[in-house]
Each structure stands twice: as C-alpha cells, then as structure tokens.
C-alpha cells in the first residue's frame, strides 16, 4: 500500500496540469458552453500529447493502465474541460484493444430507445451502446446528431434518426460479453472519476470564496455553521478520490467500482447543494465560476442508473441479492 | 383548536380555481416558464391582476377604506396558494398586495396613499424590491446606497443587486442610507422611487437559473422630491421589518411544490415507476415534507389572523418550505433522469425554479440563526 503518486504518475499529472492551465479552465468552459461547443483544440492536444492513449500505451499484462488514465480524467474534470475524455481514456480501452475514434458518447439500450440527451452527443464520432450482453460500436455522422440545449454544463445532443439505430448489429460493430461487463464497470467508474475532479474544483472554489466574502464584519468561512458543512464535504471528496483511485488501480472490479460510484455520486449531490447554498445569490450567476462544475455534478449522477444503479450493483456484487 | 376551512373558504377556493381556468391563456405553461419575472408573465400580470381586481379578489384582505374587503388573512392565503400552484400569474404583483401596499397604508402620507394604493389595488402597477447590495446580502444593514437631502430633494447614489422584476417595474421600494454618519440599522430610510427617473440604470445579470432573474440597478445622481420618503427619515429599518414581518412565507412555495409533486407522481405512474419501491419511498417522503411545510405556514397565518406580533414561527415555516421546494426540484431530476437534461423540460424548469429557494428572501442559515436565538433562546455564538 502506498497512497503517494509514483514518479511516472507525478510526471503525468504535472504535465497534464500544465497543459490544462494553458488550454482549459472555467473561463474557456463558460465561453464554449455558451455556444454549445466542443473543445476540439483541447481534444487534439490531449491526443497529440499522448494522454488520450495512455491507458493502452502503459498497459501491462493485467490490462490497461486505468489509474494513470483516471488521474488525467480527474485533472481534466477539475479544469472543467469540454472534452469527452472519460469515455476515450477509460471506457474505450477496456472494451476493445483497437483505438476507437473520438469524441465518444455512451449510452444504454434504454437511453437509445427514448432517446435521451447524451453528453457530447452533438459532437461524437462514435457511439458506444451498452447492451445486455454486448457492446455496440457505432460510427456516427453529423446527420445522426441533434444538439440539445441543457442547463447541466456539458454540450448535449440526441440521436436524430431512431430507425438508423433499430438494428444495432447492422449499424456497427458488436463486441461480446466481456466487453459489456468492462464497459459497465469502466463507465460507472469514469462517472465517479469525473465527479471527483468536478467536486474538488467546486469545493475549492467555494472555500476560496468564503474565505474572502465578508458579512457581519467577518469572513463567512469563519462561521462554524459553515465550517462544519464544508468539512463534511471535504471528507466526502477525499474518500471519493481514494475509492475511485483504488478501484481504477485494481482494473475496475465490479464491487469496488459500485462502492466508489455509490459513495462518490451521493457526495456529488451534497457538494452541489452545499456549494450553492453557501455561495449565496452570486453562485447562480454565469459570471461566477461555480456553475461550471456544480451543474455537471447533477448530469454525472444521471447516467447508468445513477446512485441507485450503483447501490444496486454493489448489493448484487457483494451479496448477490438482486432480484 | 380547529382545522377546518369554512364553507365560504371552500367555495372561494373553487371560485378562484374556476377563474384561473378561464383566465389563463392556452400557452400559459410556456408563458410562465421563466417565472414571475419573465417578460411575458410580467406583461400578462397587468391584465390578469386587473381582472382579479374586478372580482374584488386582488386585495380582499386589505381594509375597505383602501379598496379591500376586510377579509381574513386566511382568505388571502387561499388566493396565494392557488396562484403559486399555477406559477403565479400575478407576476411580481404578489409583493404589492402582500407587503408593499400594507407598508404604504401604515407609514405612507395621504398623498402617497392616494398615489400608490389605487394603482396597486386595481392591478395596474409593478414594483420591485431594492434591498440587497454587493456588500450587503445576509448582512443587509451594511447597505451603502445613500440618499443625500439637498433642499427639497434626495440625490441617490449607489447600486442594488439581485433585484428581481426591476426590468419591468414602475417603482422600486428602495432602502437607502440617509444619515451618512450612521451605521448598521440606524440612518436607513425607505424611498418609493419611480423607475423611470433619470439616472437609474438596470443591467441584467445572466444566470443559470433562467432569463430575467437577476439584475443590478445603478443610481447615479438620481434626484427625487423628498415626498418619496416613506415614514420618517432614518426609521427605514422599522418600516422594512414591519413590511416583511410575514413576508418570508409570502410566496406559497410549498403549494407550488405540492402541485409539481402531484404531476411528478402522475408521470411516474404513467411510466410504470410506481412499481419501484424506491420511487414510491421518495414520493412519500416528499409529500410528507409538503404537508409539514404547509402546516407550519398555516400556523403563521393563524398568528397573523389573530393580529398577534410575529414570532420565529415564520422562520420555521420558511426553512421547511425551502427544504420542500428543493427536495421536489431534485426529485424531479431523479425521476426524469437524463431526460431532464433538456432545457425547459418539466424537470429542468422545476429544478431551476427551486434551486434558489434557500437563498432568496434571506438565506436559510440566517433563518436558522434566528430560530436558534428566538425560538430556542440559545445564547449567541
Ligand atoms: C432568486 C433570488 C431573488 C432575489 N430577489 C431579490 C430582490 O428582489 N431584492 C433584493 O433586494 N434582494 C433579492 N435577492 C437577494 C437575497 O436577499 C440575498 O441573496 C440574500 O439575502 C443572501 O445574500 P447573499 O446572496 O449576498 O449571500 P451572503 O450573505 O454572501 O451569504 C452567503 C452564505 O453565507 C451564509 N451566511 C451568511 N451569514 C451567515 C451567518 N451569520 N452564519 C452562518 N451562515 C451565514 C448565508 O446563509 C449563505 O449561505 C434575491 C436572491 C435570490 C437568490
């Protein structure tokens, strides 16, 4: 056991942070979100710098290097990056060895049926559908996609023509049961990884603001009523971070993933509520950065059955108690 | 103790419901999606409130000498519940009839009463509330916007923030510092200022909540006659406290939340989600919360109806109403899942409307502090 980053991991996180400091951040996210745009430039930079393929490039006989990829995804989420890197870096390498063209958007059969707005769904080049026993890898064209305006901090889009996806086997490549299990686990874990980076940034932003915001002749952060709740958020974020990293390290085993996601996505709710409540009215404005992260937390809670889905998966994995 | 509505009250509720059915246009849902401050709703409120006034319902709780019918607060609360349930077609005018008019009745000069009360009671005028400032939020008495008395005029300089409804308002109920040497709650006055006065500038603050939600109002050498002063100079803090004593529960948020919840349950049933024990559990939890908020609000109305001074019960009711509103906004997101990602969908709209509940009209923490000191009589920190 060792909770410190090794040298390689440290080098990776430092260099991705450097890249993000230059090419991402709340201001850029707000600008892009305002136009429902995808950050093609950042996506390309992550590709060119080798971050997008790190899970494959550093793979060992145990599988893709999920932890290293998770550290990058966490950092990108912290920077509010408008790129579908979680699907690219964590989910794709787990389902097939060959590279998958990004941006990638993920959905379940149910999501496809409705069809619901998908994160990055207006810009994706590949759709990964999680079936009951299969994964379908479907190339997308711009005609397949329709942008959807959303309050929830990511560019969203919906699949435009339902009939095109009626026969999934005809629409794309079908991968077998191993891929389906891997996709479910890595997708669920990737939601938690993104939530960790996102919560971290939301909380850091709020703590910074509350140190400086003064009312009643003192900083709001000096009130114990506020301090205790911020401390509880910090506990939640820290536990989430390490649960997620541990699960990534182990290659996303079902039970560890479910526990990490169940805990993290519940904490995401708490962090959303508390950061907004404590920021006061300014926290709802577009010019205050909080929404870059806070609104995303709610979107992350919605995929793959959300907290309830993760809890059920956890009970099933641990006690086989699922009907 | 008695928990019945009178036959007249029950009939009144039915009448109001029937009236709403008749008066609300077919596209009301769309019209009201930006809330009482939205452009279309603000415009509509002028028509709607004058229709209410024709029925004698707009200000029925006011004394008859000011165009009211001397009805009990209970009667007015029925109107409030029904209005909020459908998304408040009175727009911002609920503030007029709840507290702005009554404050003018209590503190206003004859001239002010003659100018403002008929406009309010006929539904012809929109007001906004100019209290908060960038540095004076929870700590409202830190406000700095000043009005300097020069001859027979006040010259106002400063700015207000978060001001709802001000983009359509005809008047602002404005809190200013009139004694520059004063601090905290002394030296504050209320001015009733026409929004078209030269030197007033409104800027919308874009928000994630929706359009036309927040504004900043700038005052640059705004010159008004001294007769816009409401009550005595430097006594504004008392005026505001009187005006707002019951207003923490002025908007029947729990009623709106309860209706939203009914719709949610209906939609859950249509989707077969009532088979899911967790959904059932959450719906039950939320419904109980609505009821708990309602009963605490009713307790406050009872205090008011008896003419007793306000108590910390108002804060108790306020906090629970807020909790209820938030819980249902969030439950809508859970039930609709990824469908709520679509802007202006049912869940998205309700969630955004609810998300500011814990901040608007005084943040929850401040209410909790008041409960601790006044209700529990705990010592100060
Ligand atoms: C939707 C909406 C509509 C509004 N409309 C109007 C309007 O029409 N007119 C108007 O004048 N204002 C309006 N406001 C402003 C509102 O009154 C203020 O936002 C509110 O009083 C809180 O002030 P603040 O936003 O500056 O938060 P702050 O005062 O900065 O508070 C930030 C956080 O610190 C907490 N805090 C503050 N003091 C303490 C303490 N002593 N102990 C513990 N915690 C504390 C607060 O509870 C909050 O959680 C509106 C606000 C909203 C959200």
């Amino acid at each position: 056991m060792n909770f410190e980053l090794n040298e390689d991991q440290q080098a990776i996180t430092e260099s991705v942070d450097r890249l993000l400091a230059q090419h991402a951040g709340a201001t850029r996210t707000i600008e892009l979100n305002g136009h429902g745009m995808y950050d093609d430039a950042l996506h390309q930079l992550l590709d060119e710098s080798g971050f997008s393929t790190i899970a494959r490039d550093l793979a060992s006989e145990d599988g893709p290097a999920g932890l290293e990829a998770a550290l990058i995804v966490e950092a990108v989420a912290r920077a509010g990056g408008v790129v579908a890197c979680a699907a690219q870096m964590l989910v794709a390498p787990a389902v097939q060895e060959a590279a998958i063209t990004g941006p990638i958007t993920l959905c379940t059969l149910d999501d496809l049926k409705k069809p619901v707005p998908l994160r990055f769904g207006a810009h994706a080049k590949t759709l990964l559908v999680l079936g009951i026993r299969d994964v379908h890898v479907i190339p997308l064209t711009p005609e397949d996609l329709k942008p959807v305006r959303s309050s929830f901090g990511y560019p969203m889009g919906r699949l435009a023509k339902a009939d095109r996806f009626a026969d999934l086997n005809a629409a794309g490549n079908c991968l077998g049961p191993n891929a389906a299990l891997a996709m479910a686990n890595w997708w669920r874990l990737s939601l938690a990884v993104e939530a960790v980076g996102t919560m971290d940034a939301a909380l850091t932003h709020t703590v910074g603001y509350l140190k400086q915001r003064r009312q009643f002749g003192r900083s709001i952060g000096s009130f114990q009523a506020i301090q205790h709740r911020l401390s509880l958020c910090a506990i939640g974020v820290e536990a989430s971070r390490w649960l997620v990293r541990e699960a990534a390290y182990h290659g996303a085993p079902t039970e560890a993933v479910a526990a990490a996601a169940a805990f993290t996505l519940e904490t995401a709710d708490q962090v959303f509520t508390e950061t907004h409540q404590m920021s006061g009215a300014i926290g709802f404005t577009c010019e205050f950065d909080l929404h870059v992260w806070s609104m995303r937390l709610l979107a992350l809670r919605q995929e793959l059955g959300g907290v309830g889905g993760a809890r059920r998966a956890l009970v099933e994995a641990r006690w086989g108690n699922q009907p | 103790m008695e928990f019945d509505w009178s036959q007249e009250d029950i009939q009144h509720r039915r009448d109001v419901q029937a009236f709403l059915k008749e008066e609300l246009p077919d596209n009301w849902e769309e019209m009201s999606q930006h809330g009482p401050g939205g452009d279309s709703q603000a415009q509509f409120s002028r028509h709607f409130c004058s229709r209410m006034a024709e029925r004698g319902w707009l200000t029925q709780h006011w004394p008859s000498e000011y165009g009211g019918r001397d009805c009990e607060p209970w009667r007015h609360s029925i109107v409030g519940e029904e209005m909020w349930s459908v998304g408040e077609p009175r727009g911002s005018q609920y503030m007029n009839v709840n507290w702005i008019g009554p404050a003018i009745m209590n503190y206003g000069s004859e001239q002010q009463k003659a100018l403002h009360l008929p406009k309010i009671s006929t539904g012809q005028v929109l007001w906004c509330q100019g209290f908060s400032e960038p540095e004076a939020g929870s700590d409202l008495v830190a406000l700095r916007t000043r009005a300097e008395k020069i001859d027979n005029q006040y010259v106002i300089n400063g700015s207000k923030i978060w001001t709802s409804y001000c983009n359509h308002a005809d008047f602002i109920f404005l809190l200013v510092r009139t004694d520059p040497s004063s601090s905290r709650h002394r030296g504050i006055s209320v001015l009733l200022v026409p929004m078209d006065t030269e030197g007033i500038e409104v800027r919308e603050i874009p928000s994630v909540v929706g359009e036309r939600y927040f504004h900043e109002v700038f005052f640059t050498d705004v010159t008004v006659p001294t007769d816009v002063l409401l009550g005595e100079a430097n006594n504004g803090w008392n005026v505001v406290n009187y005006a707002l004593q019951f207003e923490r529960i002025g908007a029947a948020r729990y009623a709106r939340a309860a209706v939203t919840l009914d719709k949610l349950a209906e939609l859950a049933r249509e989707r077969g989600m009532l088979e899911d024990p967790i959904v059932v559990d959450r719906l039950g939890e939320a419904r109980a919360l609505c009821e708990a908020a309602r009963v605490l609000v009713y307790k406050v109305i009872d205090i008011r109806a008896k003419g007793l001074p306000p108590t910390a019960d108002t804060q108790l009711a306020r906090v629970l109403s807020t909790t209820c509103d938030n819980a249902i906004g969030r439950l809508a997101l859970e039930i609709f899942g990824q469908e709520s990602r679509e802007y202006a969908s049912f869940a998205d709209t309700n969630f955004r409307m609810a998300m500011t509940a814990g901040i608007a009209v005084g943040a929850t923490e401040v209410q909790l502090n008041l409960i601790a000191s006044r209700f529990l009589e705990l010592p100060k920190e």
Side-chain angles (χ1 to χ4, degrees), chain A residues 77-99:
Chain A
R78 201 178 295 116
V82 193
V83 285
C85 65
Q88 185 90 47
M89 298 184 198
L90 292 170
V91 183
V95 297
Q96 82 172 27
E97 236 165 78

Side-chain angles (χ1 to χ4, degrees), chain A:
Chain A
M1 288 280 169
N2 180 3
F3 276 54
E4 269 172 39
L5 303 185
N6 66 28
E7 262 174 38
D8 288 347
Q9 291 161 347
Q10 213 160 342
I12 291 169
T13 51
E14 278 169 15
S15 85
V16 78
D17 280 341
R18 260 198 310 277
L19 184 148
L20 292 167
Q22 238 184 324
H23 300 282
T27 311
R28 184 166 173 82
T29 308
I30 292 172
E31 170 78 27
L32 290 163
N33 278 352
H35 299 96
M37 280 163 70
Y38 185 78
D39 199 340
D40 292 309
L42 179 61
H43 184 109
Q44 200 178 337
L45 276 169
L46 289 167
D47 281 355
E48 285 166 5
S49 323
F51 292 123
S52 301
T53 51
I54 210 151
R56 277 195 193 91
D57 297 346
L58 300 185
S60 66
E61 63 245 38
D62 299 335
L67 177 56
E68 283 69 17
L71 292 172
I72 295 168
V73 172
E74 187 186 321
V76 173
R78 201 178 295 116
V82 193
V83 285
C85 65
Q88 185 90 47
M89 298 184 198
L90 292 170
V91 183
V95 297
Q96 82 172 27
E97 236 165 78
I100 296 176
T101 311
I104 299 170
T105 189
L106 310 174
C107 77
T108 63
L109 286 177
D110 258 359
D111 299 341
L112 197 61
K113 250 183 253 153
K114 279 177 185 163
V116 297
L118 304 174
R119 285 193 296 143
F120 308 108
H123 305 90
K125 295 220 166 72
T126 307
L127 172 70
L128 290 190
V129 184
L130 176 62
I132 298 169
R133 263 176 236 95
D134 322 292
V135 172
H136 301 273
V137 185
I138 302 174
L140 296 171
T141 63
E143 293 80 63
D144 291 328
L145 307 165
K146 214 167 53 187
V148 173
R149 183 177 170 193
S150 175
S151 309
F152 296 94
Y154 294 98
M156 304 269 187
R158 180 181 272 138
L159 300 172
K161 289 173 286 177
D163 49 334
R164 160 112 151 75
F165 304 96
D167 181 357
L168 290 175
N169 289 325
N173 234 353
C174 179
L175 310 174
N178 288 343
L181 183 64
M183 175 165 170
N185 283 336
W186 279 103
W187 182 2
R188 183 162 276 141
L189 186 59
S190 76
L191 294 170
V193 174
E194 288 189 83
V196 166
T198 309
M199 292 194 290
D200 197 1
L203 188 59
T204 304
H205 185 269
T206 304
V207 169
Y209 177 67
L210 293 179
K211 281 183 187 163
Q212 160 245 309
R213 168 78 171 161
R214 294 177 73 83
Q215 288 287 273
F216 303 101
R218 53 194 271 198
S219 90
I220 287 185
S222 72
F223 291 111
Q224 267 189 6
I226 297 291
Q227 289 180 344
H228 285 188
R229 284 154 52 200
L230 285 173
S231 302
L232 289 170
C233 287
I235 294 169
V237 174
E238 275 311 290
S240 300
R241 192 193 318 279
W242 295 108
L243 278 174
V244 160
R245 289 180 178 180
E246 188 184 42
Y249 170 88
H250 286 303
T254 305
E255 185 180 340
V257 167
F263 188 86
T264 304
L265 297 178
E266 187 59 16
T267 305
D269 189 67
Q270 178 189 12
V271 169
F272 173 88
T273 305
E274 294 292 36
T275 53
H276 268 295
Q277 181 58 29
M278 293 180 197
S279 296
I282 201 169
F284 303 117
T285 63
C286 295
E287 57 206 65
F288 193 76
D289 295 344
L290 177 61
H291 66 92
V292 166
W293 305 289
S294 63
M295 301 305 282
R296 286 182 164 195
L297 289 175
L298 299 182
L300 291 171
R301 279 168 52 82
Q302 294 167 338
E303 285 170 34
L304 214 51
V307 180
R311 286 178 180 163
R312 283 191 288 276
L314 179 55
V315 171
E316 158 74 8
R318 178 114 195 121
W319 298 293
N321 208 15
Q322 188 70 342

Side-chain angles (χ1 to χ4, degrees), chain A residues 209-210 213 215-216 220 223 225-226 229 276-282 284, chain B residues 95 128-134 136-139 161-165 213-214 253 356 359-366 369:
Chain A
Y209 177 67
L210 293 179
R213 168 78 171 161
Q215 288 287 273
F216 303 101
I220 287 185
F223 291 111
I226 297 291
R229 284 154 52 200
H276 268 295
Q277 181 58 29
M278 293 180 197
S279 296
I282 201 169
F284 303 117
Chain B
M95 298 198 303
C128 62
Q129 168 192 320
F131 294 0
S132 307
E133 295 181 10
S138 297
D139 187 15
I161 197 166
W162 315 127
T163 329
S164 310
Y165 321 128
Y213 244 83
F214 295 122
R253 279 179 166 269
T356 61
I359 301 294
V361 212
T364 299
E365 288 70 16
V366 174
N369 281 345

Side-chain angles (χ1 to χ4, degrees), chain B residues 298-313:
Chain B
Y298 281 12
K299 187 176 176 212
V300 178
I301 300 171
D302 184 50
I303 292 170
R304 183 174 205 174
K306 296 192 169 105
L308 298 170
T311 62
D313 288 287

